[in-house]
Amino acid sequence: MPQSAATPASTLFDQVRFVLNETSHPGNVGSAARAIKTMGFGQLVLAAPRAGADVLRDPEAVALASGADDVLANARVVPDLDTALQGVSWAVALSARSREYGPPNAEPRESAAMAVQHAGQGEAVAFVFGSERTGLSNADVERCNALVHIPANPVYSSLNLSQAVQLIAYEVRMACLMRERGEMSVTTALPAVAPDAQILEALATRDDVEGMLSHLERALVDLDFLDPDNPKKLMTRLRRLFAKSHLEREEVNILRGIAKHILERKIRR
C-alpha cells in the first residue's frame, strides 16, 4: 500500500535513536556503535554512563567500534534518561523481564514497525537499553510507550547488550525498508493501536504525556488525593492507563486544562 506523505528512508533512519542507560562497559558502547551503523543508523545516546563521560574516547570503545568511529564520535552523553528522551514521541524499553506495571508489551518486530510509523510522520523515536547488570528500573520503563522482551531461548536467554542492540537495529532497518518500498501501512504495524494515518498524526508525543502527568500529579497533591510521602502505585497505574489509551494531543490538552483549573481553584481558596 503506497504511503501518504511518506518520509524518505534516509530521514526515517535519522529519526531513530538508540539510548544506552547507565552503561558500565566501554566495549559495549563501541560494539553498540558498530551494531547500529551496520544497519544504517547513526544516533547513539548515552544516559549517565557508569563508565564516565570520557567513555567515548576509551581505547576499548574505540577498538570495538571498528569502522563506526563516526557514530562513536558523534554520540551524545547526557546526565539522565529524561534528557536522552527529550523530543521523542515514541520510546520503547528493552527488558529481559516482565513488569507488573508499566507500558504495554510488544514484540520486537511489532515495536519496530510502530516506531517507523511514528518516524514516518517526522517524529523522533527511541529504543532504550538498560545497564549490563541490572537492566532498566521500573521508573525507567514507565517513561516509555512500549516494553519489549526479546524471546530468546528460555534455557539460556542471556544476551550481551550490543547483541540486543544489533537485533533491534535489524528489525527497525527492515521496517524502514518496508516502508520505503510501500509495503507497510499503518495497519500493518499495529492494527489494534493505530487504524489509520490521521489517528497516528494526532497522537500525543511522549513529551506531551510526561508534561501532562507532571501537571496532573501536582493537581492531585493539591487535592489531597495523592500523598507525595506515600504515593503507593497511583502515578504508576495512571502512566500505564494512559500508555494503553494512546492519548491524542487534544486529549492531553483537556487533561492539562483540568489540572490547571484544579490548581487555580486551590489558589483562590
Side-chain angles (χ1 to χ4, degrees), residues 79-152:
D80 51 45
L81 184 57
D82 281 336
T83 306
L85 293 178
Q86 281 180 358
V88 166
S89 295
W90 183 262
V92 178
L94 275 292
S95 177
R97 57 190 175 89
S98 60
R99 312 294 173 112
E100 182 181 0
Y101 302 102
N105 293 313
E107 295 292 326
R109 191 160 298 172
E110 179 185 51
S111 70
M114 191 61 184
V116 169
Q117 294 299 335
H118 280 278
Q121 302 298 324
E123 300 174 357
V125 299
F127 289 84
V128 182
F129 302 80
S131 70
E132 297 88 339
R133 189 173 64 85
T134 59
L136 292 170
S137 69
N138 289 337
D140 294 333
V141 169
E142 289 168 11
R143 287 171 168 79
C144 298
N145 303 90
L147 175 63
V148 167
H149 168 69
I150 296 172

Side-chain angles (χ1 to χ4, degrees), residues 2 5 12 40 73 82 90 115 136 140 157 164 169 187 189 191-192 197 199 207 219 234-235 250 255:
L12 288 175
D82 281 336
W90 183 262
L136 292 170
D140 294 333
S157 60
T187 52
I199 289 179
D207 285 349
L234 177 61
M235 293 310 299
E250 185 175 348
L255 290 167

Side-chain angles (χ1 to χ4, degrees), residues 14 28 62 70-71 88 115-116 172 177 186 190 204 233:
D14 292 341
N28 281 332
V62 173
D70 54 338
V71 174
V88 166
V116 169
V172 184
L177 295 178
V186 175
L190 210 53
K233 298 286 185 181

Side-chain angles (χ1 to χ4, degrees), residues 230-248:
N230 187 27
K232 297 184 179 179
K233 298 286 185 181
L234 177 61
M235 293 310 299
T236 296
R237 289 177 182 274
L238 286 176
R239 279 180 179 277
R240 182 171 176 80
L241 170 65
F242 292 134
K244 290 191 293 185
S245 301
H246 298 280
L247 293 169
E248 297 179 10

Side-chain angles (χ1 to χ4, degrees), residues 146-175:
L147 175 63
V148 167
H149 168 69
I150 296 172
N153 178 4
V155 178
Y156 185 66
S157 60
S158 178
L159 280 174
N160 175 270
L161 173 59
S162 61
Q163 292 172 333
V165 172
Q166 183 78 77
L167 188 152
I168 295 299
Y170 167 80
E171 292 291 356
V172 184
R173 175 178 178 80
M174 297 310 294

